[in-house]
Amino acid sequence: MSPCLDRYAVAGNPVAHSRSPAIHALFAAQTAQPVDYGRLLCPLDAFAATVRAFAAEGAKGCNVTVPFKFEAFELATRRSQRAELAQAANTLRFDPEAQGGWLADNTDGVGLVRDITVNAGVPLQGRRVLLLGAGGASAGVLGPLIEQGPREIVVANRTVDKAQALVDRHAAWASQHGVVLRASSLTSPGEGFDVFINGTAASLSGSGVPVGPEVLSPGGLALDMMYGQAAQPFMDWARAHGATPRDGLGMLVEQAAEAFALWRGVRPDTAPVLARLRAEIDAPASGASA
Ligand code: ATR
């Protein structure tokens, strides 16, 4: 690695599968930014120490993936509003103390919104949205979804209390944007949603989609935040029931672009990067999750 390059990495456990280094390498080449982006495997009990050591070596920032997004949020001295809403961060910028210290952001939600509204061309304003799951993935996207001004968002989860807690935390934000926001069990989330987003880990466990097809609407968007093999059962299910399936690959590229812009002040063009990843994913032996 050249000493002239600014260092970044994706921090997580595991990280070997991550496509973030490839995505950021393409962004760096496209924008001619001096960026070296690698992988930072953090022991489960030593996320903070590992990331601090990386920063002490002169690194400029990192993305954060499972299972450290909540710890990353705690580690920063400053947090973006969307990170505050999520109570989780997927991006850290190692600003020096004199500039206020480390900044935590969460670019997952804006990445999802951009993939839906720009890449898929589906407006969210005035629509009815079902968000399945109330874990870290859903927490990361709910604030930016609300910001789009859909008519209604239902957060449905196996453990209803978790969905209710997420809804309660976003209640003021929802009323500010004129959005009806409510929590639901998996048994009665409602029917005919324009946009259905799966933020559960159900695809990974192979247990199938945990709600009935009545949640879909003909031609409506059904998006799984996973991609590759992990998203396939959801995509097949959505298509079989007349919805338009979409995986999480666009969200993955868009959240990366937002992080890149935060670090470098330059926004890469995501379309060629997404097209290239799509071609790789469609080839045999694809990846698992964002
Ligand atoms: P992540 O950070 O990826 O969101 P998480 O915080 O562990 O991971 O959350 C996983 C989400 O998937 C939760 O909403 C979980 O439901 P519970 O809150 O009830 O645990 C949901 N989930 C996982 N496996 C599921 C399954 N087989 N059926 C339905 N929901 C499932």
Side-chain angles (χ1 to χ4, degrees):
M1 182 201 55
S2 156
C4 304
L5 298 178
D6 289 337
R7 291 178 68 200
Y8 300 87
V10 54
N13 188 336
V15 285
H17 69 286
S18 175
R19 292 184 184 262
S20 292
I23 293 171
H24 282 275
L26 291 169
F27 288 166
Q30 183 198 94
T31 59
Q33 286 285 309
V35 162
D36 173 77
Y37 188 111
R39 293 184 171 84
L40 193 63
L41 178 64
C42 304
L44 291 175
D45 60 352
F47 170 73
T50 309
V51 170
R52 283 201 182 102
F54 184 54
E57 289 168 10
K60 302 286 185 192
C62 65
N63 284 129
V64 182
T65 187
V66 174
F68 301 120
K69 291 185 182 182
F70 300 105
E71 255 186 272
F73 173 77
E74 298 295 339
L75 213 53
T77 51
R78 293 177 302 146
R79 293 135 178 186
S80 67
Q81 186 186 29
R82 56 200 185 194
E84 286 285 359
L85 274 170
Q87 301 272 292
N90 76 336
T91 304
L92 290 171
R93 196 176 67 193
F94 304 144
D95 293 347
E97 288 301 323
Q99 288 169 27
W102 289 14
L103 173 69
D105 196 3
N106 194 318
T107 66
D108 285 333
V110 75
L112 174 68
V113 162
R114 205 164 284 148
D115 185 55
I116 292 174
T117 60
V118 179
N119 298 343
V122 174
L124 286 163
Q125 193 175 20
R127 301 295 180 93
R128 293 181 61 241
V129 178
L130 175 61
L131 177 61
L132 199 63
S138 292
V141 302
L142 185 54
L145 283 173
I146 290 170
E147 217 172 342
Q148 291 297 303
R151 179 149 53 95
E152 178 188 26
I153 302 180
V154 177
V155 181
N157 195 43
R158 183 174 58 182
T159 312
V160 185
D161 286 356
K162 278 172 68 180
Q164 190 60 56
L166 197 56
V167 161
D168 290 348
R169 196 162 81 229
H170 288 75
W173 189 242
S175 88
Q176 205 176 313
H177 289 84
V179 179
V180 175
L181 180 63
R182 65 179 176 87
S184 162
S185 68
L186 295 180
T187 49
S188 54
E191 295 181 8
F193 289 91
D194 303 303
V195 177
F196 171 37
I197 299 162
N198 184 17
T200 72
S203 317
L204 277 185
S205 67
S207 55
V209 184
V211 289
E214 65 278 2
V215 301
L216 302 172
S217 61
L221 186 69
L223 186 150
D224 196 320
M225 291 195 213
M226 303 280 176
Y227 63 86
Q229 297 291 330
Q232 204 54 54
F234 176 92
M235 306 266 289
D236 293 344
W237 173 85
R239 191 179 289 110
H241 292 99
T244 304
R246 192 166 181 85
D247 68 6
L249 201 63
M251 173 185 174
L252 177 70
V253 173
E254 295 296 342
Q255 64 77 28
E258 187 75 8
F260 192 90
L262 180 81
W263 292 326
R264 309 303 304 178
V266 182
R267 176 165 290 284
D269 179 7
T270 51
V273 177
L274 180 53
R276 181 149 164 188
L277 246 74
R278 177 68 66 202
E280 288 175 18
I281 292 288
D282 286 346
S286 57
S289 73

